[in-house]
Amino acid sequence: MNPMETDDIVLRKAKFEDWESMHKNVWSRPETAKYMQWQITKTEESAKERIKKTITYQKTHDTYFIYEKEHGQAIGFAGVEEISPHIFQDAGIALGPEYTGKGLGKQTLQLLLEYCANTLRGKEFFYSTRANNKISKALALSCGFSYQYSEEKIDLKTKEPYILEVYSRKL
């Protein structure tokens, strides 16, 4: 698949040399991992192992790194998955803390929506977020999503319950 891009970002598959910027900007950041189902990566060696696993995973999944165009460094990740014919959901969107609040999340989600509608012939897209993740909820609403339902889940890291809110939008 060709890279997807806006004026500010590019979504494309990871390369090994991205380990350093992903480690610095995303994987080592507790504030980024807070609402996600993954653990932070503490060492450079762990980041190098993680990038290898990510590259392998991305070969068979619609997941991508987010690169900011100005410096070309990896600043996050995003992806989609088909949950039934022509129905898609986000497979997680995360940006490093220095890159939130700048419209990059919205650009990322809009690229994913366009990809699902135009390339994958999607008809509907589901977006989920934790109820206490105000930034993610605002992103969903700003991109035209409508609230559908909530469900209680258990955080895999902390074993604590949380409320997952699910939103949808026709493509």
Side-chain angles (χ1 to χ4, degrees):
M1 193 212 80
N2 293 328
M4 297 176 270
E5 59 184 280
T6 67
D7 289 343
D8 302 311
I9 60 166
V10 175
L11 269 57
R12 66 170 168 74
K13 299 293 185 173
K15 294 186 272 189
F16 181 78
E17 56 268 21
D18 297 326
W19 74 265
E20 193 169 9
S21 58
M22 280 300 287
H23 179 62
K24 178 184 75 155
N25 294 323
V26 182
W27 292 339
S28 67
R29 307 303 291 269
E31 59 270 56
T32 303
K34 178 179 179 180
Y35 298 112
M36 307 299 284
Q37 295 292 335
W38 48 269
Q39 302 282 348
I40 61 168
T41 301
K42 296 181 180 178
T43 67
E44 290 187 353
E45 285 309 309
S46 295
K48 290 175 185 175
E49 287 305 310
R50 188 170 184 170
I51 194 75
K52 290 176 190 173
K53 290 176 183 173
T54 298
I55 290 167
T56 299
Y57 183 83
Q58 286 185 347
K59 287 179 182 176
T60 56
H61 294 83
D62 272 328
T63 57
Y64 309 93
F65 277 0
I66 304 165
Y67 299 84
E68 52 94 18
K69 281 188 171 178
E70 186 177 350
H71 300 105
Q73 65 178 320
I75 59 168
F77 61 85
V80 299
E81 55 192 356
E82 190 170 24
I83 54 176
S84 63
H86 306 288
I87 309 295
F88 294 85
Q89 70 181 6
D90 75 280
I93 297 173
L95 285 167
E98 287 83 9
Y99 300 94
T100 60
K102 300 174 190 259
L104 303 179
K106 186 171 186 175
Q107 290 178 50
T108 299
L109 183 52
Q110 288 172 330
L111 284 174
L112 295 176
L113 293 169
E114 289 170 18
Y115 172 64
C116 288
N118 300 332
T119 304
L120 304 177
R121 297 191 327 259
K123 303 291 183 213
E124 189 171 12
F125 193 96
F126 286 87
Y127 179 92
S128 59
T129 183
R130 293 182 187 213
N132 61 343
N133 188 340
K134 291 177 178 28
I135 292 172
S136 186
K137 285 170 64 167
L139 173 61
L141 295 173
S142 75
C143 287
F145 283 82
S146 299
Y147 172 81
Q148 296 301 309
Y149 63 91
S150 298
E151 61 182 308
E152 190 168 303
K153 297 279 200 173
I154 300 295
D155 187 290
L156 299 176
K157 295 181 294 190
T158 66
K159 309 300 184 224
E160 296 290 321
Y162 67 92
I163 302 298
L164 184 73
E165 293 182 354
V166 178
Y167 296 79
S168 73
R169 179 183 143 178
K170 299 289 185 202
L171 297 175

